[in-house]
Amino acid sequence: MRLRYTDEKEEVRSLQLSEEEVILGRSEGAQVFINDPRVSRNHAAIRYWGGDYVLKDLHSNNGTLVNGRTVNVTALSPADRIVIGGTELIVEDENQPQKGTGTVMAEVGSEFDRGKGYSTIMRQFVDEASQEQKERRRQTNPPGEANEEDDNTET
């Protein structure tokens, strides 16, 4: 897996994750340097552990978000979005090609050609994204921990 983010010079950066620990923060020694006063010197770390890449907040002052949720420790999955200060880092699977805008537009055009309407296509996108989010939650929540969707289930 790798991290993709935009640095303070507005340049897109990519960092291949390995078994070496990666420090994210404002320290000049951090592998992912984030020049933002809201970011601690050693804000968070990513380490390969037990077959997963695990992100750990290093007792930062302003916290670390993964997919919009504040985390202390969590396993990372492709498409996860890490937010530290004002910087968003995206976890990517280098073995899975990312769809570009042209590819997505071609897929939408193909759906239109098959007679589907805009609302139907958008509903499919939303449904697919929801399913992916639920699957990521299942993978990152320990057994027995309540999921958000568990709270809304009628019995």
Side-chain angles (χ1 to χ4, degrees), residues 17 69 89 115 122 140:
L17 297 175
R69 300 170 94 182
L89 303 100
M122 292 308 296
T140 59

Side-chain angles (χ1 to χ4, degrees), residues 69 73 137-138 140-151:
R69 300 170 94 182
V73 177
R137 282 190 200 120
R138 280 190 205 103
T140 59
N141 287 343
E145 185 176 303
N147 290 324
E148 287 178 20
E149 54 268 4
D150 292 342
D151 296 337

